[in-house]
Amino acid sequence: MKRVLALALACCAFAFNGAMLSAAPLGSIHGRIIASRADHNLAGAIVKARLRGSASAVMTTTGKSGAFHLGRLQPGTYVLTVDGRFQEIAPYTVAVLSGVAKSVRLKVLPVVSHIIIKGHSVRPLPTYSKVFRTAQTQVLLSKTQIASQGALAGSAQLLQTAPGVLVASYGSTGAAKSMITVRGFKQGWANQAGIVDNGMIGVRLNGVFLNNPQTGQWQADEIPDLSILDGMSVEYGPGSPVTRTFDSIGGTLNFYTQLPENAPHLHLSGSNGSDGGSAFHVDYSAPISKRFGFIISHGRTFTQGYRNIIGSGISAPGSTYATFGEIVNKFGNGSLDIFGYSASGTEMRPNLIPLSPLQNYDANGNPIAGSYVTANGFDLNGNPIPGAIYSQQSSGFYSALPLGVWQKTDSNSTRLIAADLEYGLEHGWSFSNILSYRHGDRLHVKNFNFDQANNSGRFEYNNPYSDTLSEKLTLHHVNERNGDALDFGSEVFGSLYNTRNAFYNADPTQSAPSAPSTIGQPSIYRNNYFQQKNFTIYGQYLMRFGNRWKFTPGFRYVSLATKFLNAGLEGFPQCQGVSSASGICSNKTKLGDSGTMFAGIEPSAELQYLADPNLALYANFGRALRSPQTSPGGPYQGIPVAGLSPETGTNQEVGVKYFRRFAGRMLDGSPREAFLTASFFDERVRDQYIPIVIGAGVKVASASGSSRYSGLTLAFDRTFGRSIELFGGLSTTHAYFDSYDYLGTNYSGLPVTQVPKFAYNLGIAGEERAGAGIITGRIWDNFTGPQPMWNNLLGQPDPNGQLIPSYGLVNASIGYSTSRIGRPIGFTLSVNNLFNKRYNPFEYVTSGAYFGGGIGQSNLAGPGAILAEPGAPREVQFTVSVRS
């Protein structure tokens, strides 16, 4: 074959050997392999059938008509694959029964970005074979990386195994929010100062867009449980026109859940470990008929956290849940997949901690001799209450303020339902359509009693939400003569985002976690609506030139319409007629209703050269735009929209990929492969929204500027024999502001903060038979290089070059699984931060306001000192799992 085509296995049937060689008749599998792009028979493909639990496989090669026959098979469940240079299908299980003949069809994988014309395409998980054939930089995180995490890990912890990804959080499980950086681009929020731009990464779950519709932000605790996942991919840069989202300037995170099994399957697991950590998970999958199957899964985790709350004897509690259900209908030319998902992550959010004791300053900005910040805060006269001097150096590395001084709980939830239709037509045409509804909400409850002189402003209740309805329709066509492929379609997206917040009030219950859901007359309030209507038309055309060259031009036309409504009194009707001079009922939003409409073309181009069957060179170009950042107090709410522009990102990339599949399978049935991708990138972002912050931590204005990101991204995965897998990656990133100047604050030439200049991760996983079972072991090292630090005293990246120190963490696990007791049972011991390293994933220079007398006080504490977020110490978890 001169071309590597996608494969589909059609019209498979089971026949039985006429000769009765034993009491149980032997079976056979026969069928035909079709090259799906051209819809022609494919000769010379290697077809293998391996009895589940067996190391050997029966193998044959298709003839001229694409037909094959595998005979004399013992009854049982077989894993059917097509290996060699033609591999483009997922492993498929086939039940060979005694005396029964039935027809089945294969689930297949796409080649470019579209479904296969023959057979099924139920949310196919990307494979290295597919990634090799694209001209985009993409990294896969599979079951190996998922299994390398602890039982309480969430999506943030999984993402740390991808090159160029930094995660900073106040927790170590899926319950906490996280700030995620992908090659310098930010997503999420977790107590970090100095995030000059956010929401730059698009996020999808099974193709459903998860970002907040207006801010572009997504929180990692919306996918808090890894047990429901089958894998994920990280696509760097804007990506192709078909796969990118409305917030993919810096990249796209794609999460994929498990699919229904072809036979009844039950999985139960329970975990227990450090810091009060526990977890349980259950999933059940079964076929309903030849066409229908379903899966339902549920997981919960609980933790007490690793921060030591002074005087309480407890840490910072948190919990998560994730529930997923799906029903799949496979029919002759496609499939209909209906699924629902509900998840939430909640954790007490401890305060930042000084590296060393903070000296108190008076109202005139003079240091007070012998006066330092204590863990008990300030009394009614503004004097420090005697107690432990608060810092990592004096009160303990992981210490947190007492519950009577600081309580802050943060919760994020998401709920969605979606229908995904894939349908193959005639003459090379097919289409896919996904319709979805998503509801997201956040609860931020704060009880801040650090300054007892300001008790009337200690409490905050913030409960915004968003509702989103979207539909994405894509048509696909494959030229039957030469395999060229066309994809085009549209996506419509409508959303409503409410920003409700009751700021700074007396706490009516003296307990933040049990606070009321409404406060009728807060001192300050906000209740705005953002109505957004996004629309895009996209297309790309893959052209082949000979056997080695592929060129894919593409485009997206994007329309972004936003309507802003100041609906303060609708959210707080008891404030109607109350003067703000009374000290209550002040609307934080000062501007009236407004709206914007942005539109633009996003061009793209991809080029790939196949140097040999295993080595490809590629280059791509892409431009993406998104709605401007609208953090609270920013555009629409505190800053007029006149002159506002959408943010744009323009990325160029050149790289190399290597892929090779070896004969045979790993002990767990996964393919034996070698994959490597390395790329150099350069991306410039223009018209960024940048908040201006004064010394007291108050945002007063905003500016626009531009920044540049460039560097190297490398990832690899290699199997050795049937039991060893080596995986890892490294990245270098140089990120800086090349244009920014506002009222004397100059960012030009300064680095973008919280971007490691160098980082790597390296892991090894192994499994080997031991008696009647299999023993597994995994260990991986994650190193994060120094990061430019934010200076809140100056309101800019630190001009003196202060850096967040580098740190390296080693995680490990060992497990054993056996079926000796009748059912498969597994035991796993996992250890995070194996060597118990103390480190701070986040540090910044304080203005002195964080511990400076609380809300409304002018006293500062330690201006110019460094505050930090401590990372987790060693954590151990033990897991038992049972399958049926």
Side-chain angles (χ1 to χ4, degrees):
M1 292 282 295
K2 294 183 179 180
R3 295 189 177 96
V4 179
L5 302 176
L7 305 179
L9 180 62
C11 302
C12 289
F14 295 108
F16 293 91
N17 199 319
M20 296 293 292
L21 299 180
S22 63
L26 300 178
S28 66
I29 305 174
H30 64 82
R32 187 165 57 95
I33 300 296
I34 298 172
S36 63
R37 282 185 182 169
D39 203 18
H40 294 159
N41 299 328
L42 182 61
I46 302 172
V47 182
K48 294 182 180 180
R50 179 181 59 82
L51 183 63
R52 179 172 283 176
S54 172
S56 59
V58 181
M59 180 175 64
T60 189
T61 303
T62 57
K64 292 183 179 180
S65 65
F68 72 93
H69 179 82
L70 295 167
R72 300 181 62 80
L73 301 177
Q74 293 287 345
T77 301
Y78 286 79
V79 179
L80 197 64
T81 58
V82 178
D83 279 353
R85 59 189 295 263
F86 305 110
Q87 171 68 19
E88 284 287 355
I89 64 174
Y92 187 70
T93 55
V94 178
V96 176
L97 306 176
S98 300
V100 178
K102 66 176 183 178
S103 299
V104 296
R105 290 184 182 272
L106 267 185
K107 178 186 67 182
V108 297
L109 292 178
V111 178
V112 186
S113 62
H114 54 274
I115 64 171
I116 299 303
I117 297 171
K118 299 291 183 181
H120 302 297
S121 177
V122 183
R123 199 174 61 253
L125 187 68
T127 63
Y128 286 126
S129 175
K130 177 191 173 186
V131 172
F132 175 73
R133 288 166 173 80
T134 70
Q136 294 290 338
T137 300
Q138 193 174 10
V139 171
L140 306 183
L141 303 180
S142 65
K143 287 292 189 181
T144 299
Q145 285 80 13
I146 293 175
S148 298
Q149 312 304 313
L152 275 68
S155 56
Q157 288 71 39
L158 175 61
L159 281 164
Q160 292 180 104
T161 62
V165 177
L166 165 73
V167 175
S169 178
Y170 52 88
S172 61
T173 73
K177 296 197 302 184
S178 298
M179 195 283 295
I180 297 168
T181 300
V182 180
R183 295 201 312 197
F185 296 95
K186 305 296 193 299
Q187 178 57 274
W189 177 262
N191 225 4
Q192 283 78 27
I195 300 179
V196 297
D197 211 346
N198 205 338
M200 305 281 277
I201 306 295
V203 184
R204 292 188 189 272
L205 176 71
N206 297 342
V208 178
F209 187 54
L210 297 185
N211 298 56
N212 180 291
Q214 185 62 40
T215 68
Q217 293 188 36
W218 166 80
Q219 300 297 348
D221 56 356
E222 295 178 59
I223 302 182
D225 187 356
L226 299 183
S227 60
I228 69 168
L229 296 182
D230 200 28
M232 72 161 299
S233 67
V234 180
E235 189 167 4
Y236 298 88
S240 73
V242 178
T243 61
R244 78 179 60 152
T245 74
F246 292 104
D247 290 291
S248 291
I249 284 180
T252 305
L253 310 178
N254 297 293
F255 294 90
Y256 302 91
T257 58
Q258 299 181 63
L259 282 164
E261 300 275 351
N262 296 313
H265 173 83
L266 174 66
H267 175 214
L268 299 167
S269 69
S271 304
N272 210 336
S274 302
D275 302 322
S278 63
F280 74 86
H281 171 80
V282 57
D283 67 70
Y284 180 71
S285 173
I288 302 174
S289 65
K290 292 181 180 180
R291 289 175 48 181
F292 289 89
F294 78 93
I295 184 173
I296 185 168
S297 61
H298 177 74
R300 294 215 66 178
T301 68
F302 303 90
T303 180
Q304 289 299 316
Y306 57 87
R307 294 292 295 274
N308 176 27
I309 297 179
I310 297 173
S312 67
I314 66 170
S315 299
S319 64
T320 73
Y321 82 86
T323 302
F324 178 79
E326 179 176 34
I327 185 168
V328 174
N329 176 17
K330 301 177 182 179
F331 46 87
N333 288 335
S335 63
L336 175 62
D337 177 18
I338 300 175
F339 59 89
Y341 175 73
S342 178
S344 179
T346 302
E347 184 161 336
M348 185 176 289
R349 181 171 158 179
N351 53 278
L352 297 171
I353 182 170
L355 300 187
S356 56
L358 299 181
Q359 189 169 19
N360 289 311
Y361 282 61
D362 61 24
N364 298 318
N366 300 313
I368 303 174
S371 178
Y372 295 91
V373 169
T374 73
N376 295 324
F378 297 90
D379 62 18
L380 294 175
N381 298 315
N383 299 315
I385 300 174
I389 296 177
Y390 186 60
S391 72
Q392 288 185 325
Q393 190 180 92
S394 54
S395 58
F397 191 83
Y398 301 103
S399 59
L401 295 176
L403 294 177
V405 175
W406 175 288
Q407 289 189 60
K408 193 172 187 178
T409 301
D410 218 319
S411 176
N412 290 277
S413 303
T414 191
R415 301 166 186 85
L416 64 87
I417 187 170
D420 185 3
L421 174 64
E422 313 275 357
Y423 195 82
L425 305 172
E426 296 182 348
H427 308 298
W429 285 94
S430 62
F431 74 88
S432 59
N433 186 78
I434 183 165
L435 175 67
S436 67
Y437 165 77
R438 174 187 174 270
H439 172 84
D441 57 69
R442 177 190 179 209
L443 179 59
H444 164 117
V445 182
K446 178 180 178 181
N447 196 341
F448 186 79
N449 195 31
F450 192 74
D451 174 23
Q452 294 184 5
N454 193 33
N455 276 338
S456 62
R458 60 185 287 182
F459 181 74
E460 179 184 9
Y461 193 94
N462 182 15
N463 57 331
Y465 69 88
S466 64
D467 292 295
T468 303
L469 183 66
S470 66
E471 182 173 21
K472 183 178 182 180
L473 172 66
T474 308
L475 291 170
H476 322 280
H477 180 258
V478 178
N479 190 304
E480 298 183 0
R481 296 187 302 275
N482 56 23
D484 289 357
L486 170 68
D487 299 88
F488 67 94
S490 68
E491 183 173 6
V492 292
F493 178 96
S495 67
L496 178 69
Y497 169 46
N498 175 265
T499 68
R500 191 182 190 281
N501 196 343
F503 295 94
Y504 315 141
N505 306 276
D507 182 359
T509 65
Q510 300 297 305
S511 177
S514 59
S517 60
T518 60
I519 295 177
Q521 293 181 325
S523 59
I524 303 173
Y525 65 86
R526 179 184 67 222
N527 188 70
N528 304 319
Y529 288 102
F530 286 92
Q531 297 176 354
Q532 192 166 35
K533 296 179 181 179
N534 292 353
F535 173 73
T536 180
I537 300 174
Y538 52 84
Q540 65 182 31
Y541 186 63
L542 184 149
M543 297 178 286
R544 299 173 179 274
F545 300 94
N547 298 325
R548 296 181 181 271
W549 290 94
K550 291 190 295 186
F551 177 61
T552 308
F555 79 97
R556 278 169 65 99
Y557 169 78
V558 179
S559 172
L560 309 171
T562 300
K563 184 178 181 180
F564 171 75
L565 302 174
N566 184 341
L569 292 176
E570 176 184 319
F572 299 91
Q574 294 182 40
C575 285
Q576 183 75 44
V578 178
S579 171
S580 59
S582 63
I584 60 173
C585 290
S586 174
N587 190 345
K588 188 176 181 65
T589 302
K590 305 306 179 183
L591 299 181
D593 300 350
S594 62
T596 57
M597 167 69 80
F598 304 116
I601 299 290
E602 301 178 347
S604 68
E606 304 173 14
L607 180 67
Q608 187 179 49
Y609 172 71
L610 194 66
D612 67 41
N614 304 113
L615 182 67
L617 306 177
Y618 71 96
N620 65 63
F621 163 85
R623 179 178 180 267
L625 60 87
R626 70 164 190 148
S627 294
Q629 254 286 322
T630 54
S631 62
Y636 304 93
Q637 301 159 91
I639 300 169
V641 299
L644 200 61
S645 300
E647 294 187 45
T648 61
T650 304
N651 182 60
Q652 301 90 32
E653 206 140 347
V654 59
V656 60
K657 295 181 183 182
Y658 176 85
F659 172 74
R660 183 180 179 185
R661 173 165 281 119
F662 304 102
R665 292 265 162 178
M666 305 291 285
L667 289 178
D668 63 0
S670 59
R672 298 180 59 244
E673 298 172 322
F675 176 80
L676 180 142
T677 180
S679 67
F680 293 95
F681 70 95
D682 181 79
E683 182 162 1
R684 187 176 185 186
V685 182
R686 291 182 170 87
D687 296 314
Q688 290 180 272
Y689 167 71
I690 301 174
I692 309 301
V693 181
I694 61 175
V698 179
K699 180 163 54 183
V700 295
S702 69
S704 62
S706 61
S707 56
R708 173 156 273 164
Y709 306 77
S710 60
L712 167 70
T713 305
L714 182 146
F716 61 89
D717 197 309
R718 173 70 159 90
T719 58
F720 298 89
R722 300 186 60 227
S723 59
I724 303 296
E725 182 176 0
L726 184 69
F727 60 91
L730 65 86
S731 65
T732 64
T733 305
H734 178 50
Y736 63 95
F737 292 99
D738 59 10
S739 173
Y740 174 76
D741 186 33
Y742 182 84
L743 296 180
T745 302
N746 188 355
Y747 285 70
S748 301
L750 291 177
V752 177
T753 53
Q754 293 176 262
V755 180
K757 297 181 179 180
F758 174 76
Y760 74 82
N761 62 82
L762 177 65
I764 185 169
E767 54 186 3
E768 194 57 69
R769 297 191 183 278
I774 294 179
I775 188 170
T776 60
R778 300 178 179 88
I779 186 168
W780 63 282
D781 178 30
N782 192 346
F783 174 81
T784 301
Q787 310 164 50
M789 187 183 295
W790 177 262
N791 189 318
N792 220 32
L793 184 63
L794 301 177
Q796 64 181 43
D798 189 80
N800 300 315
Q802 286 203 80
L803 299 173
I804 301 174
S806 62
Y807 57 91
L809 302 176
V810 177
N811 304 324
S813 69
I814 187 170
Y816 181 74
S817 59
T818 181
S819 299
R820 174 174 287 182
I821 64 174
R823 297 185 183 276
I825 184 170
F827 308 90
T828 303
L829 181 69
S830 61
V831 184
N832 296 331
N833 194 357
L834 180 64
F835 300 113
N836 202 25
K837 181 179 179 61
R838 286 188 170 184
Y839 69 102
N840 293 322
F842 170 69
E843 296 178 356
Y844 82 105
V845 178
T846 178
S847 65
Y850 192 90
F851 290 102
I855 299 169
Q857 300 298 303
S858 59
N859 301 47
L860 300 179
I866 294 176
L867 306 185
E869 194 89 75
R874 181 192 295 123
E875 295 179 321
V876 181
Q877 292 147 8
F878 181 70
T879 303
V880 179
S881 62
V882 180
R883 298 180 184 273
S884 175

